[in-house]
CSV table of all heavy atoms in Angstrom, one decimal:
chain,number,residue,atom,x,y,z
A,1329,PHE,N,8.9,-93.9,-17.8
A,1329,PHE,CA,7.7,-93.0,-17.6
A,1329,PHE,C,6.6,-93.6,-16.8
A,1329,PHE,O,5.6,-92.9,-16.5
A,1329,PHE,CB,7.2,-92.5,-19.0
A,1329,PHE,CG,8.2,-91.6,-19.7
A,1329,PHE,CD1,8.8,-92.1,-20.9
A,1329,PHE,CD2,8.5,-90.4,-19.3
A,1329,PHE,CE1,9.7,-91.3,-21.5
A,1329,PHE,CE2,9.4,-89.6,-19.9
A,1329,PHE,CZ,10.0,-90.0,-21.1
A,1330,ARG,N,6.8,-94.9,-16.4
A,1330,ARG,CA,5.8,-95.6,-15.6
A,1330,ARG,C,4.4,-95.4,-16.3
A,1330,ARG,O,3.4,-95.0,-15.6
A,1330,ARG,CB,5.8,-95.2,-14.2
A,1330,ARG,CG,7.2,-95.4,-13.6
A,1330,ARG,CD,7.3,-95.3,-12.1
A,1330,ARG,NE,6.5,-96.3,-11.4
A,1330,ARG,CZ,6.8,-97.6,-11.1
A,1330,ARG,NH1,7.9,-98.1,-11.7
A,1330,ARG,NH2,6.1,-98.4,-10.4
A,1331,SER,N,4.4,-95.7,-17.5
A,1331,SER,CA,3.2,-95.5,-18.3
A,1331,SER,C,3.0,-96.6,-19.4
A,1331,SER,O,3.9,-97.4,-19.6
A,1331,SER,CB,3.3,-94.1,-19.0
A,1331,SER,OG,2.1,-93.8,-19.7
A,1332,THR,N,1.9,-96.6,-20.0
A,1332,THR,CA,1.6,-97.6,-21.1
A,1332,THR,C,2.4,-97.1,-22.4
A,1332,THR,O,2.7,-96.0,-22.5
A,1332,THR,CB,0.1,-97.7,-21.4
A,1332,THR,OG1,-0.3,-96.4,-21.9
A,1332,THR,CG2,-0.6,-98.1,-20.2
A,1333,ILE,N,2.6,-98.1,-23.3
A,1333,ILE,CA,3.2,-97.7,-24.5
A,1333,ILE,C,2.3,-96.8,-25.3
A,1333,ILE,O,2.8,-95.9,-26.1
A,1333,ILE,CB,3.6,-98.9,-25.4
A,1333,ILE,CG1,4.6,-98.5,-26.5
A,1333,ILE,CG2,2.4,-99.7,-25.9
A,1333,ILE,CD1,5.9,-97.9,-26.0
A,1334,GLY,N,1.0,-96.9,-25.2
A,1334,GLY,CA,0.1,-96.0,-25.9
A,1334,GLY,C,0.3,-94.5,-25.5
A,1334,GLY,O,0.3,-93.6,-26.3
A,1335,ALA,N,0.4,-94.3,-24.2
A,1335,ALA,CA,0.6,-93.0,-23.7
A,1335,ALA,C,2.0,-92.5,-24.1
A,1335,ALA,O,2.1,-91.3,-24.4
A,1335,ALA,CB,0.5,-93.0,-22.1
A,1336,VAL,N,3.0,-93.3,-24.1
A,1336,VAL,CA,4.3,-92.9,-24.5
A,1336,VAL,C,4.3,-92.5,-25.9
A,1336,VAL,O,4.9,-91.4,-26.3
A,1336,VAL,CB,5.4,-94.0,-24.2
A,1336,VAL,CG1,6.7,-93.7,-24.8
A,1336,VAL,CG2,5.5,-94.2,-22.7
A,1337,ARG,N,3.7,-93.3,-26.8
A,1337,ARG,CA,3.7,-93.0,-28.2
A,1337,ARG,C,3.0,-91.7,-28.5
A,1337,ARG,O,3.3,-91.0,-29.5
A,1337,ARG,CB,3.0,-94.2,-29.0
A,1337,ARG,CG,3.8,-95.4,-29.1
A,1337,ARG,CD,3.0,-96.4,-30.0
A,1337,ARG,NE,1.6,-96.6,-29.7
A,1337,ARG,CZ,1.0,-97.8,-29.6
A,1337,ARG,NH1,1.7,-98.9,-29.8
A,1337,ARG,NH2,-0.2,-97.9,-29.2
A,1338,SER,N,1.9,-91.5,-27.8
A,1338,SER,CA,1.0,-90.4,-28.2
A,1338,SER,C,1.5,-89.0,-27.7
A,1338,SER,O,1.0,-88.0,-28.2
A,1338,SER,CB,-0.4,-90.6,-27.7
A,1338,SER,OG,-0.4,-90.6,-26.2
A,1339,ASP,N,2.4,-89.0,-26.8
A,1339,ASP,CA,3.0,-87.7,-26.4
A,1339,ASP,C,4.2,-87.3,-27.2
A,1339,ASP,O,5.1,-88.2,-27.3
A,1339,ASP,CB,3.3,-87.8,-24.9
A,1339,ASP,CG,3.9,-86.5,-24.4
A,1339,ASP,OD1,3.1,-85.6,-24.0
A,1339,ASP,OD2,5.1,-86.3,-24.3
A,1340,PRO,N,4.3,-86.1,-27.7
A,1340,PRO,CA,5.5,-85.7,-28.5
A,1340,PRO,C,6.8,-85.9,-27.8
A,1340,PRO,O,7.8,-86.4,-28.4
A,1340,PRO,CB,5.2,-84.3,-28.9
A,1340,PRO,CG,3.7,-84.1,-28.8
A,1340,PRO,CD,3.3,-85.0,-27.7
A,1341,ASP,N,6.9,-85.5,-26.5
A,1341,ASP,CA,8.2,-85.6,-25.8
A,1341,ASP,C,8.5,-87.0,-25.5
A,1341,ASP,O,9.7,-87.4,-25.7
A,1341,ASP,CB,8.1,-84.7,-24.5
A,1341,ASP,CG,8.0,-83.2,-24.8
A,1341,ASP,OD1,8.5,-82.8,-25.9
A,1341,ASP,OD2,7.3,-82.5,-24.0
A,1342,THR,N,7.6,-87.8,-24.9
A,1342,THR,CA,8.0,-89.2,-24.6
A,1342,THR,C,8.1,-90.0,-25.9
A,1342,THR,O,8.9,-90.9,-25.9
A,1342,THR,CB,6.9,-89.8,-23.6
A,1342,THR,OG1,5.6,-89.7,-24.3
A,1342,THR,CG2,6.9,-89.0,-22.3
A,1343,GLY,N,7.4,-89.6,-26.9
A,1343,GLY,CA,7.5,-90.3,-28.2
A,1343,GLY,C,8.9,-90.1,-28.8
A,1343,GLY,O,9.5,-91.1,-29.3
A,1344,ARG,N,9.5,-88.9,-28.7
A,1344,ARG,CA,10.8,-88.7,-29.1
A,1344,ARG,C,11.9,-89.5,-28.3
A,1344,ARG,O,12.8,-90.0,-28.8
A,1344,ARG,CB,11.2,-87.2,-29.1
A,1344,ARG,CG,10.7,-86.4,-30.3
A,1344,ARG,CD,11.2,-85.0,-30.4
A,1344,ARG,NE,10.8,-84.2,-29.2
A,1344,ARG,CZ,9.7,-83.5,-29.1
A,1344,ARG,NH1,8.8,-83.6,-30.1
A,1344,ARG,NH2,9.4,-82.8,-28.1
A,1345,PHE,N,11.6,-89.5,-27.0
A,1345,PHE,CA,12.5,-90.3,-26.1
A,1345,PHE,C,12.5,-91.8,-26.6
A,1345,PHE,O,13.6,-92.4,-26.6
A,1345,PHE,CB,11.9,-90.2,-24.7
A,1345,PHE,CG,12.7,-91.0,-23.6
A,1345,PHE,CD1,13.8,-90.4,-23.0
A,1345,PHE,CD2,12.4,-92.3,-23.3
A,1345,PHE,CE1,14.6,-91.2,-22.1
A,1345,PHE,CE2,13.1,-93.0,-22.4
A,1345,PHE,CZ,14.2,-92.4,-21.7
A,1346,LEU,N,11.3,-92.3,-26.9
A,1346,LEU,CA,11.2,-93.7,-27.4
A,1346,LEU,C,12.0,-93.9,-28.6
A,1346,LEU,O,12.8,-94.8,-28.8
A,1346,LEU,CB,9.7,-94.0,-27.6
A,1346,LEU,CG,9.4,-95.3,-28.3
A,1346,LEU,CD1,9.9,-96.6,-27.5
A,1346,LEU,CD2,7.9,-95.4,-28.6
A,1347,VAL,N,11.9,-93.0,-29.6
A,1347,VAL,CA,12.6,-93.1,-30.8
A,1347,VAL,C,14.1,-93.0,-30.6
A,1347,VAL,O,14.9,-93.8,-31.1
A,1347,VAL,CB,12.2,-91.9,-31.8
A,1347,VAL,CG1,13.2,-91.9,-33.0
A,1347,VAL,CG2,10.8,-92.1,-32.3
A,1348,ARG,N,14.6,-92.2,-29.7
A,1348,ARG,CA,16.0,-92.0,-29.3
A,1348,ARG,C,16.5,-93.3,-28.7
A,1348,ARG,O,17.6,-93.7,-29.0
A,1348,ARG,CB,16.3,-90.9,-28.4
A,1348,ARG,CG,16.1,-89.5,-29.1
A,1348,ARG,CD,17.1,-89.2,-30.1
A,1348,ARG,NE,18.5,-89.2,-29.6
A,1348,ARG,CZ,19.5,-89.8,-30.1
A,1348,ARG,NH1,19.4,-90.4,-31.3
A,1348,ARG,NH2,20.7,-89.8,-29.5
A,1349,LEU,N,15.7,-94.0,-27.9
A,1349,LEU,CA,16.1,-95.3,-27.3
A,1349,LEU,C,16.4,-96.3,-28.4
A,1349,LEU,O,17.4,-97.0,-28.4
A,1349,LEU,CB,15.0,-95.8,-26.4
A,1349,LEU,CG,14.9,-95.3,-25.0
A,1349,LEU,CD1,13.7,-95.9,-24.3
A,1349,LEU,CD2,16.2,-95.6,-24.2
A,1350,VAL,N,15.4,-96.4,-29.3
A,1350,VAL,CA,15.5,-97.3,-30.5
A,1350,VAL,C,16.8,-96.9,-31.3
A,1350,VAL,O,17.6,-97.8,-31.7
A,1350,VAL,CB,14.2,-97.3,-31.3
A,1350,VAL,CG1,14.4,-98.1,-32.6
A,1350,VAL,CG2,13.1,-97.9,-30.5
A,1351,GLU,N,16.9,-95.7,-31.6
A,1351,GLU,CA,18.1,-95.2,-32.4
A,1351,GLU,C,19.4,-95.6,-31.8
A,1351,GLU,O,20.3,-96.1,-32.4
A,1351,GLU,CB,18.0,-93.7,-32.7
A,1351,GLU,CG,17.0,-93.3,-33.6
A,1351,GLU,CD,16.8,-91.8,-33.7
A,1351,GLU,OE1,17.3,-91.1,-32.8
A,1351,GLU,OE2,16.2,-91.3,-34.7
A,1352,GLU,N,19.5,-95.3,-30.5
A,1352,GLU,CA,20.7,-95.6,-29.7
A,1352,GLU,C,21.0,-97.1,-29.7
A,1352,GLU,O,22.2,-97.5,-29.9
A,1352,GLU,CB,20.6,-95.0,-28.3
A,1352,GLU,CG,21.9,-95.2,-27.5
A,1352,GLU,CD,23.1,-94.3,-28.0
A,1352,GLU,OE1,22.8,-93.3,-28.7
A,1352,GLU,OE2,24.2,-94.6,-27.7
A,1353,THR,N,20.0,-97.9,-29.5
A,1353,THR,CA,20.2,-99.4,-29.5
A,1353,THR,C,20.7,-99.9,-30.8
A,1353,THR,O,21.6,-100.8,-30.9
A,1353,THR,CB,18.9,-100.1,-29.0
A,1353,THR,OG1,18.5,-99.4,-27.8
A,1353,THR,CG2,19.2,-101.5,-28.7
A,1354,VAL,N,20.1,-99.4,-31.9
A,1354,VAL,CA,20.5,-99.8,-33.2
A,1354,VAL,C,22.0,-99.4,-33.5
A,1354,VAL,O,22.8,-100.1,-34.0
A,1354,VAL,CB,19.6,-99.2,-34.3
A,1354,VAL,CG1,20.2,-99.3,-35.7
A,1354,VAL,CG2,18.2,-99.8,-34.3
A,1355,ALA,N,22.3,-98.2,-33.0
A,1355,ALA,CA,23.7,-97.7,-33.2
A,1355,ALA,C,24.7,-98.6,-32.4
A,1355,ALA,O,25.8,-98.9,-32.9
A,1355,ALA,CB,23.9,-96.2,-32.7
A,1356,VAL,N,24.3,-99.0,-31.2
A,1356,VAL,CA,25.2,-100.0,-30.5
A,1356,VAL,C,25.3,-101.3,-31.2
A,1356,VAL,O,26.4,-101.8,-31.3
A,1356,VAL,CB,24.7,-100.2,-29.0
A,1356,VAL,CG1,25.4,-101.3,-28.3
A,1356,VAL,CG2,24.7,-98.9,-28.2
A,1357,GLY,N,24.2,-101.8,-31.8
A,1357,GLY,CA,24.3,-103.0,-32.6
A,1357,GLY,C,25.2,-102.9,-33.7
A,1357,GLY,O,26.1,-103.8,-34.0
A,1358,HIS,N,25.1,-101.8,-34.5
A,1358,HIS,CA,26.0,-101.5,-35.6
A,1358,HIS,C,27.5,-101.5,-35.1
A,1358,HIS,O,28.4,-102.0,-35.7
A,1358,HIS,CB,25.6,-100.2,-36.3
A,1358,HIS,CG,24.4,-100.4,-37.2
A,1358,HIS,ND1,23.5,-99.4,-37.4
A,1358,HIS,CD2,23.9,-101.5,-37.9
A,1358,HIS,CE1,22.6,-99.8,-38.2
A,1358,HIS,NE2,22.8,-101.1,-38.5
A,1359,ALA,N,27.7,-100.8,-34.0
A,1359,ALA,CA,29.1,-100.7,-33.4
A,1359,ALA,C,29.6,-102.0,-33.1
A,1359,ALA,O,30.8,-102.3,-33.1
A,1359,ALA,CB,29.1,-99.7,-32.2
A,1360,GLU,N,28.7,-103.0,-32.7
A,1360,GLU,CA,29.1,-104.3,-32.3
A,1360,GLU,C,29.3,-105.2,-33.6
A,1360,GLU,O,29.6,-106.4,-33.4
A,1360,GLU,CB,28.1,-105.0,-31.4
A,1360,GLU,CG,28.2,-104.4,-30.0
A,1360,GLU,CD,29.5,-104.7,-29.3
A,1360,GLU,OE1,29.9,-105.8,-29.3
A,1360,GLU,OE2,30.1,-103.7,-28.7
A,1361,GLY,N,29.1,-104.6,-34.7
A,1361,GLY,CA,29.2,-105.4,-36.0
A,1361,GLY,C,28.0,-106.2,-36.4
A,1361,GLY,O,28.1,-107.1,-37.3
A,1362,ILE,N,26.9,-105.9,-35.8
A,1362,ILE,CA,25.6,-106.6,-36.2
A,1362,ILE,C,25.0,-106.0,-37.4
A,1362,ILE,O,24.9,-104.8,-37.5
A,1362,ILE,CB,24.6,-106.6,-35.0
A,1362,ILE,CG1,25.2,-107.1,-33.7
A,1362,ILE,CG2,23.3,-107.3,-35.4
A,1362,ILE,CD1,25.7,-108.5,-33.8
A,1363,ALA,N,24.7,-106.8,-38.4
A,1363,ALA,CA,24.2,-106.3,-39.7
A,1363,ALA,C,22.7,-106.0,-39.7
A,1363,ALA,O,21.9,-106.5,-40.5
A,1363,ALA,CB,24.5,-107.3,-40.8
A,1364,LEU,N,22.3,-105.1,-38.8
A,1364,LEU,CA,20.9,-104.7,-38.7
A,1364,LEU,C,20.6,-103.9,-40.0
A,1364,LEU,O,21.5,-103.2,-40.5
A,1364,LEU,CB,20.7,-103.8,-37.5
A,1364,LEU,CG,20.7,-104.5,-36.2
A,1364,LEU,CD1,20.9,-103.5,-35.0
A,1364,LEU,CD2,19.5,-105.3,-36.0
A,1365,PRO,N,19.4,-104.1,-40.6
A,1365,PRO,CA,19.1,-103.4,-41.8
A,1365,PRO,C,19.2,-101.9,-41.6
A,1365,PRO,O,18.9,-101.4,-40.5
A,1365,PRO,CB,17.6,-103.8,-42.1
A,1365,PRO,CG,17.4,-105.0,-41.2
A,1365,PRO,CD,18.3,-104.9,-40.1
A,1366,PRO,N,19.5,-101.1,-42.7
A,1366,PRO,CA,19.5,-99.7,-42.6
A,1366,PRO,C,18.2,-99.0,-42.1
A,1366,PRO,O,18.3,-98.0,-41.5
A,1366,PRO,CB,19.8,-99.2,-44.0
A,1366,PRO,CG,20.3,-100.4,-44.7
A,1366,PRO,CD,19.8,-101.6,-44.0
A,1367,ASP,N,17.1,-99.7,-42.3
A,1367,ASP,CA,15.8,-99.1,-41.9
A,1367,ASP,C,15.3,-99.8,-40.6
A,1367,ASP,O,14.1,-99.7,-40.3
A,1367,ASP,CB,14.8,-99.3,-43.0
A,1367,ASP,CG,14.4,-100.7,-43.3
A,1367,ASP,OD1,15.2,-101.6,-42.9
A,1367,ASP,OD2,13.4,-101.0,-43.9
A,1368,GLN,N,16.2,-100.3,-39.8
A,1368,GLN,CA,15.8,-101.0,-38.5
A,1368,GLN,C,15.0,-100.1,-37.6
A,1368,GLN,O,14.1,-100.5,-37.0
A,1368,GLN,CB,17.0,-101.6,-37.8
A,1368,GLN,CG,16.7,-102.4,-36.6
A,1368,GLN,CD,15.8,-103.6,-37.0
A,1368,GLN,OE1,16.2,-104.4,-37.8
A,1368,GLN,NE2,14.6,-103.7,-36.4
A,1369,VAL,N,15.4,-98.8,-37.5
A,1369,VAL,CA,14.7,-97.9,-36.6
A,1369,VAL,C,13.2,-97.8,-37.1
A,1369,VAL,O,12.3,-97.9,-36.3
A,1369,VAL,CB,15.3,-96.5,-36.5
A,1369,VAL,CG1,14.4,-95.5,-35.8
A,1369,VAL,CG2,16.7,-96.6,-35.9
A,1370,GLU,N,13.0,-97.6,-38.4
A,1370,GLU,CA,11.7,-97.5,-38.9
A,1370,GLU,C,10.9,-98.8,-38.7
A,1370,GLU,O,9.7,-98.7,-38.4
A,1370,GLU,CB,11.8,-97.1,-40.4
A,1370,GLU,CG,12.3,-95.7,-40.6
A,1370,GLU,CD,13.8,-95.5,-40.6
A,1370,GLU,OE1,14.5,-96.6,-40.5
A,1370,GLU,OE2,14.3,-94.4,-40.6
A,1371,ARG,N,11.6,-99.9,-39.0
A,1371,ARG,CA,10.9,-101.2,-38.8
A,1371,ARG,C,10.4,-101.4,-37.3
A,1371,ARG,O,9.3,-101.8,-37.1
A,1371,ARG,CB,11.8,-102.3,-39.1
A,1371,ARG,CG,12.1,-102.5,-40.5
A,1371,ARG,CD,13.1,-103.7,-40.7
A,1371,ARG,NE,13.5,-103.8,-42.1
A,1371,ARG,CZ,13.9,-105.0,-42.6
A,1371,ARG,NH1,13.9,-106.1,-41.9
A,1371,ARG,NH2,14.3,-105.1,-43.8
A,1372,THR,N,11.3,-101.0,-36.4
A,1372,THR,CA,11.0,-101.2,-35.0
A,1372,THR,C,9.8,-100.2,-34.6
A,1372,THR,O,8.9,-100.6,-33.9
A,1372,THR,CB,12.2,-100.9,-34.1
A,1372,THR,OG1,13.2,-101.8,-34.5
A,1372,THR,CG2,11.9,-101.1,-32.6
A,1373,MET,N,9.9,-99.0,-35.0
A,1373,MET,CA,8.9,-98.0,-34.7
A,1373,MET,C,7.5,-98.5,-35.3
A,1373,MET,O,6.5,-98.3,-34.7
A,1373,MET,CB,9.3,-96.6,-35.1
A,1373,MET,CG,10.5,-96.1,-34.3
A,1373,MET,SD,10.3,-96.2,-32.5
A,1373,MET,CE,8.9,-95.2,-32.2
A,1374,ALA,N,7.6,-99.1,-36.5
A,1374,ALA,CA,6.3,-99.5,-37.1
A,1374,ALA,C,5.7,-100.7,-36.3
A,1374,ALA,O,4.5,-100.7,-36.1
A,1374,ALA,CB,6.6,-100.0,-38.5
A,1375,LEU,N,6.5,-101.6,-35.7
A,1375,LEU,CA,6.1,-102.6,-34.9
A,1375,LEU,C,5.5,-102.1,-33.6
A,1375,LEU,O,4.4,-102.4,-33.1
A,1375,LEU,CB,7.2,-103.6,-34.6
A,1375,LEU,CG,6.8,-104.8,-33.7
A,1375,LEU,CD1,5.7,-105.6,-34.2
A,1375,LEU,CD2,8.1,-105.7,-33.4
């Protein structure tokens, strides 16, 4: 989005995109056998 993380977080559409990126990356980690915690998406979004 060529934008700051604040702008990405604050917009509903770009914020959903950000969450989907995090969800997809966690899913790939799980598919690779990495024992990421079940709440990894929430932990990452909190950070």
Side-chain angles (χ1 to χ4, degrees):
F1329 293 110
R1330 301 192 64 79
S1331 187
T1332 64
I1333 194 61
V1336 170
R1337 286 187 310 228
S1338 65
D1339 179 86
D1341 293 330
T1342 59
R1344 276 192 298 277
F1345 179 88
L1346 170 62
V1347 172
R1348 289 294 298 137
L1349 281 175
V1350 170
E1351 289 171 342
E1352 184 69 19
T1353 310
V1354 169
V1356 171
H1358 285 147
E1360 288 295 312
I1362 305 300
L1364 290 165
D1367 65 343
Q1368 186 61 57
V1369 172
E1370 292 80 9
R1371 288 180 186 207
T1372 303
M1373 293 310 299
L1375 178 59

